[in-house]
Structures are given as structure tokens and as C-alpha cells.
Amino acid sequence: MTTMVEHIACTFCGCVCDDIVVEVEGSRIAGVRGACVVGRGVLDEYDPEVRRPVVAGREVDWEQAVGAAAAILNEADSPLIYGLSSTAIEAQRKAVKLADRLGAIIDTTSSVCHGPTGLAMQAVGEATCTLGEVRDRADLIVFWGCNPAASHPRHFGRFSLTPAGALTPNGRADRTVVVVDVRPTGSSKQADHFLQVNAGADFEVLTALRYLARGEDVEAAAIGGIPVSQLRDLVRTMKACRYGVVFMGMGLTMSRGRHLNVGELFSLVAELNTYTRFSVIPMRGHGNVAGADQVLTWSSGYPFAVSFARGYPQFGPGEFSAVDVLARGEADAALIVASDPVAHLPRAAAEHLEHIPTILLDPTPSLTASIAQVVFPTASYGLDAAGTAYRMDNVPIPLHRLFASGRPTDEEILDRIIEAVT
Ligand code: SF4
């Protein structure tokens, strides 16, 4: 029998679109409506077949795998827990509890994407809003160092460019759109104004914008490759708008200046509130990477790169971030949740994972699964596991279980490991 299930959330990217309609036939997805091509692919291709866990290349039962994982973690002096951006907050809470129990280092994929954003938030604060406010109020949208046309395909249609909102009834016609980036992109093609900044010069440009916004003069003809006349126009547009929002991406966080770039942008946004309403929203990539920041912050006080080795949480970006801990060869065991670090981390860090016992909880096959000592093919959040994910604007979205596959969830496996470690 086929059932139509409405208001399903896609958890592939930080938009967490929760208006998807899915046709379910038993434990199979027979059709998907409303998702973008990326989300549809993820949902359509989900394989709900129950696979058994694997220990040292051999299929075992779930209890044996839990025992093997606990034995690895008990043996380790300096275990690392990593990933967490593609699982529910219920599992993320358990991962923090396990890190606390083990005296482990815990880090999330934030440290290789918006970690600098977290540092800037701590340093200067963040004037922010929800995506609902963007849709309803914003008449000026600035995309800085991000390309949602490629990375978040429904962002424009649901929140930022075309939807009609309470104060933007004519959709796109009621909005001015500016893109700042190092090269033309699919997003810049849809903008009213495109400012091409030299690679690594964002900080200078943001500082110039702060000066101009205060009414100071900037003597140079161009800053960071952008004519100052264009920067003056942008400042005029920013001050004259009714409600402005900047969406910022890894073009700022992962280029020269990193957290200083983001801090400068956050300061500019805060200062623009002297003249009008202005907010900033980081473009978060993974479906629940914002939730990982939230959970780690409310449980340890810090958003990523936290060590419990001394019996209390210590924050150490660069010291306790997974890339650094692995590349320096300091971790002697790793537990990875819903992530593929072997595919995505720099080579030295990925290679170290091959030399230490690694435990993986992940519903989908991956390069990390191919090197892991223990693999738990768990349920996927929002498909055969219920839970909660935080959208990029930190609004929690409930995730329903579409069908019962018989796979345990990440939360359940982490609970069993917590019980089994000494
Ligand atoms: S925009 Fe993102 S969350 Fe929305 S359907 Fe596409 S991949 Fe899924």
C-alpha cells in the first residue's frame, strides 16, 4: 500500500526544507515531491535494507559490535569523537555524554567550515534573525562568499529571493540582491549587483565598508579589487534599506583572515543597526551542523574542538580540532558519527585514521567505512529515525520517522556504548 506523507524535512543541507511530500511503500520511498534535485536524489536513493554491523571486516550482531567498540574506547588514552553534523541532536547529546565519560576530545565538522564564525560570535556577537523574517521583511539581501544557487538550491525560492512575504508581497521585485565573491557564480547571475573581491581581501573591503558607513573618507581608488565608488553605493543601499540581511559562507571563513573576516562582517552588521534593521545568517552546509554547535555549546560551553581530558571541558580550536589532533598523531582511537573524514579531511589527518582503531556510525557506505574497525550501519535521521535538526538559522525542525527499517538509531547505539564503557 502507498501512503503520502506530508511536511517531511530534507536534512541534506542547512535549509532543512520541511515541506516535502514523500510517497512511502512499506519501507521504500516510491516518490518525492517538492525537494530540489539534490534532496530528491538523497531521498530517492536511500537504501533501507538492514545491514549487519561489521567488526574487523566480519559481520557480527549488534551486541558484539557494541562490545568491540567499547573495548577500543576503554583501551584508548586519547580517543577522538568527530562528525555529528548529519545526525539528530538526540544523538549529538549522547556523543557529548560519551566524550565526557571517556575524557575524550569531541569535535564536529564545524571546525572545517564555520568554526571561525563561532569564534567571531564569541568575540563580537551576532545580530541575527530567522529565515521566516528574511522572507517576510528583508528588502536587501547580500550574499558574501557563498553560492546558494549551487549549495542550497531552494534557499532563493523558499527564503531569500523570490518568495512573497508579509512586507515583500511582490517577491523578487521587492528585493535588491547583492553578491560579493571572488568570481562570478550561479548566484551572482541572479543578483542586481555583483562586487568581485580579490581573493583574500575580504577583511580590507569589510573594514572600508565600516569606515564609509561611519561617514569617514577612504582615499584609495579601489579596495581589494573593488572600486571605492561601488563600495560607497553599497553602503548607501545598506543604510537606505528597510531590513537588510547578509548571508555569509566559507568564502569568508576559509580564506585569509578567517574569524577576523567574520568578526569584521558581524561588526559592520551591528553598526548598520544604527541606521536601519540589519542581520546576518551563516550559510550552514550540513543538515544539522547548526544543531551540533548548539548541543556542544549548551552542554560544554563551547561550539566545537572541546577536550574533556582533564575532567572538565576545555576549548581549543587548533589544539583540539580533529584535523590537528589527527595530523599530529595524538588520537589513539576515533569514533566517527555520520561523517566521512577519510574522504574530506586533509591527507595527514585522514591517513592517521587508517592507523588507529576507528569506529563508525553511518547509514551510508563511505571511504571511512572502508577503513573502520567497527561499522554500525545505523538508521538515517529524518528517514527511518525520528529526531530534531536545527536549520541554518537555529530554528529546530522536528524530523519524523517515515518508516520502520529495523536499524537502530545513532542515539541508541551511543547509549549502548555509554553503558558498555568503563
Ligand atoms: S535545499 Fe537543501 S534541504 Fe532543501 S530540498 Fe534541497 S538539499 Fe534538501
Side-chain angles (χ1 to χ4, degrees):
M1 195 182 82
T2 304
T3 317
M4 302 293 282
V5 193
E6 295 184 335
H7 307 301
I8 292 304
C10 167
T11 55
F12 185 76
C13 84
C15 287
V16 195
C17 299
D18 55 351
D19 57 351
I20 313 285
V21 180
V22 177
E23 227 176 294
V24 180
E25 237 174 53
S27 59
R28 195 179 74 84
I29 292 174
V32 178
R33 282 190 224 156
C36 69
V37 66
V38 183
R40 198 164 54 240
V42 171
L43 290 161
D44 268 345
E45 283 163 26
Y46 186 61
D47 174 9
E49 187 197 334
V50 182
R51 285 171 286 127
R52 299 179 73 204
V54 172
V55 174
R58 207 167 51 83
E59 287 192 5
V60 296
D61 64 36
W62 295 92
E63 266 334 295
Q64 284 173 303
V66 168
I72 289 170
L73 296 170
N74 283 335
E75 276 287 305
D77 291 323
S78 184
L80 167 73
I81 297 176
Y82 176 72
L84 298 164
S85 52
S86 295
T87 191
I89 64 156
E90 291 76 6
Q92 293 165 346
R93 293 175 80 140
K94 299 291 178 184
V96 179
K97 189 173 174 186
L98 180 61
D100 193 6
R101 176 75 59 87
L102 294 168
I105 290 169
I106 183 164
D107 189 27
T108 76
T109 60
S110 260
S111 67
V112 288
C113 60
H114 275 277
T117 303
L119 298 181
M121 268 180 215
Q122 290 172 336
V124 300
E126 180 197 38
T128 194
C129 63
T130 66
L131 291 169
E133 285 176 285
V134 175
R135 185 196 55 225
D136 278 340
R137 297 172 187 276
D139 58 345
L140 171 63
I141 311 277
V142 181
F143 294 101
W144 197 306
C146 56
N147 180 15
S151 58
H152 298 72
R154 294 188 71 208
H155 195 279
F156 287 172
R158 288 193 77 209
F159 309 116
S160 54
L161 244 69
T162 53
L167 302 179
T168 49
N170 302 308
R172 180 68 180 86
D174 284 339
R175 297 182 178 100
T176 301
V177 178
V178 179
V179 169
V180 185
D181 215 329
V182 294
R183 64 181 71 85
T185 62
S187 298
S188 70
K189 284 193 191 123
Q190 301 190 48
D192 299 300
H193 308 286
F194 172 51
L195 279 63
Q196 187 159 352
V197 56
N198 289 342
D202 300 272
F203 184 86
E204 290 93 309
V205 173
L206 286 160
T207 304
L209 288 173
R210 287 183 69 193
Y211 262 76
L212 292 168
R214 281 183 210 158
E216 309 274 352
D217 200 20
V218 174
E219 286 181 8
I223 305 281
I226 304 176
V228 169
S229 58
Q230 276 191 31
L231 297 180
R232 280 201 191 96
D233 288 346
L234 177 57
V235 165
R236 257 194 299 276
T237 308
M238 284 171 151
K239 284 181 160 180
C241 78
R242 184 187 58 226
Y243 195 116
V245 179
V246 185
F247 289 97
M248 45 86 40
M250 286 168 60
L252 278 186
T253 65
M254 290 292 140
S255 60
R256 190 166 67 105
R258 295 178 180 238
H259 61 287
L260 299 175
N261 297 336
V262 185
E264 203 66 0
L265 173 62
F266 284 9
S267 298
L268 171 67
V269 167
E271 287 158 11
L272 286 167
N273 279 278
T274 309
Y275 311 99
T276 183
R277 292 286 302 273
F278 233 97
S279 292
V280 59
I281 297 182
M283 293 289 294
R284 307 310 302 271
H286 290 104
N288 199 22
V289 68
D293 288 3
Q294 291 282 345
V295 170
L296 256 161
T297 304
W298 82 51
S299 10
S300 74
Y302 308 109
F304 65 100
V306 177
S307 171
F308 285 93
R310 292 200 178 168
Y312 54 86
Q314 284 181 289
F315 184 42
E319 188 178 3
F320 305 133
S321 353
V323 170
D324 303 275
V325 168
L326 291 169
R328 290 194 301 258
E330 290 168 2
D332 57 356
L335 184 144
I336 312 295
V337 184
S339 178
D340 189 6
V342 173
H344 299 122
L345 293 191
R347 184 190 258 190
E351 279 179 357
H352 186 63
L353 279 173
E354 298 177 26
H355 299 127
I356 58 175
T358 297
I359 303 154
L360 174 68
L361 280 65
D362 201 338
T364 46
S366 64
L367 280 179
T368 303
S370 69
I371 62 98
Q373 184 87 0
V374 182
V375 180
F376 294 95
T378 45
S380 185
Y381 76 140
L383 290 171
D384 44 347
T388 312
Y390 278 65
R391 210 167 59 180
M392 68 168 71
D393 55 350
N394 290 306
V395 169
I397 306 287
L399 308 175
H400 306 290
R401 191 172 70 154
L402 269 176
F403 49 81
S405 68
R407 294 185 192 190
T409 63
D410 291 336
E411 182 190 5
E412 287 163 348
I413 293 297
L414 288 167
D415 239 347
R416 281 149 82 171
I417 295 175
I418 290 167
E419 278 170 27
V421 292
T422 49

